[in-house]
Amino acid sequence: MQLQMVDKKIEQRESLASGGVTSDARLVEAARKGDDSAFGELVLRYERRLIRVLIQFVKSPELAEDLAQDTFLKSYERLDQFDTSRRFGPWLFRIGVNQALDYLRKQKRRGWWLLFSDSPSDTPFDPSVPDPRNKIDINQEVQAILEEIPEKYRTVLVLRDLENFSTSEIAAILDRKEATIRWRLAEARNRFQKLWSHRQNVENSMSGKE
């Protein structure tokens, strides 16, 4: 099955559909029975966001696309393991995030973007103090700070504050309790803020000496 090819039957079925959007669970059941176009529809639903999430971890769009391709292939091969009483999205993203983290561990490098988004329920730390340097320099500085945060905290920070997943979704993706996710998120934001503040104080001190 070529995941990169969009089956024309999907478009035809979508254009003729009159009973509403087919649920993920039904598409999974159809795919299990050999309907590749059903799985192709799942790919259409999740591919763009999956790639966007993976880019936050590996930075390279090309690499993110490759990892997304591997993720869909693995999920297709493991469809018989999926519990249709649960949500398909978090299960898929769990495979994708694990793919990205495994890759980074093997390469012994860590790459992260600062694209923090405001949240009405949680208030992520946002270094909003004006800085004379350009945005690229700030992003590089933030990446260096994030590399100092342990992976288990950093991953939650990326999923929550960069991609705006809910704590319940992150719990499903990382296979952890929601209470654990909330604690890790608070700890991650606290560590980031302390590291950011320390770095700014050091730079201000050095600027004062000059």
Side-chain angles (χ1 to χ4, degrees), residues 144-190:
I145 293 174
L146 287 173
E147 288 174 2
E148 298 182 47
I149 301 175
E151 183 179 277
K152 65 180 181 179
Y153 302 121
R154 191 167 53 201
T155 301
V156 174
L157 192 64
V158 169
L159 293 175
R160 183 67 187 93
D161 288 347
L162 276 68
E163 285 302 319
N164 204 32
F165 282 99
S166 67
T167 53
S168 62
E169 289 173 328
I170 298 172
I173 292 171
L174 300 181
D175 195 22
R176 295 290 186 271
K177 295 180 179 179
E178 284 190 52
T180 300
I181 297 303
R182 286 193 293 269
W183 183 84
R184 287 186 181 180
L185 180 61
E187 180 67 16
R189 288 172 174 169
N190 183 55

Side-chain angles (χ1 to χ4, degrees), residues 39-175:
F39 189 77
E41 191 164 340
L42 289 169
V43 172
L44 286 178
R45 290 183 182 183
Y46 289 100
E47 185 174 33
R48 290 180 64 182
R49 191 177 189 192
L50 177 61
I51 292 174
R52 192 179 72 197
V53 169
L54 294 174
I55 287 175
Q56 307 303 335
F57 290 88
V58 300
K59 294 198 297 183
S60 165
E62 293 78 11
L63 178 56
E65 290 180 5
D66 290 341
L67 290 174
Q69 182 82 356
D70 290 342
T71 298
F72 283 117
L73 286 172
K74 286 192 174 184
S75 65
Y76 183 78
E77 294 169 352
R78 301 175 186 176
L79 281 181
D80 59 334
Q81 302 174 20
F82 174 64
D83 182 356
T84 53
S85 67
R86 297 177 178 273
R87 296 176 60 191
F88 178 77
W91 181 76
L92 175 69
F93 282 104
R94 181 191 303 178
I95 296 174
V97 170
N98 285 335
Q99 287 272 103
L101 294 178
D102 286 344
Y103 173 83
L104 291 173
R105 293 185 192 112
K106 290 177 182 179
Q107 297 298 317
K108 295 182 179 180
R109 65 182 177 82
R110 299 290 185 267
W112 308 85
W113 289 105
L114 177 67
L115 293 174
F116 287 102
S117 60
D118 293 331
S119 168
S121 57
D122 299 310
T123 53
F125 171 70
D126 181 12
S128 57
V129 178
D131 195 300
R133 295 165 299 175
N134 60 46
K135 186 175 181 180
I136 294 178
D137 290 338
I138 295 176
N139 281 339
Q140 291 175 343
E141 184 173 347
V142 171
Q143 289 175 35
I145 293 174
L146 287 173
E147 288 174 2
E148 298 182 47
I149 301 175
E151 183 179 277
K152 65 180 181 179
Y153 302 121
R154 191 167 53 201
T155 301
V156 174
L157 192 64
V158 169
L159 293 175
R160 183 67 187 93
D161 288 347
L162 276 68
E163 285 302 319
N164 204 32
F165 282 99
S166 67
T167 53
S168 62
E169 289 173 328
I170 298 172
I173 292 171
L174 300 181
D175 195 22

Side-chain angles (χ1 to χ4, degrees), residues 1 13 24-40 42 75-82 84:
M1 184 186 65
R13 184 166 60 191
D24 287 353
R26 290 193 177 187
L27 290 174
V28 169
E29 289 292 352
R32 283 174 172 172
K33 295 177 182 178
D35 184 356
D36 285 348
S37 67
F39 189 77
L42 289 169
S75 65
Y76 183 78
E77 294 169 352
R78 301 175 186 176
L79 281 181
D80 59 334
Q81 302 174 20
F82 174 64
T84 53

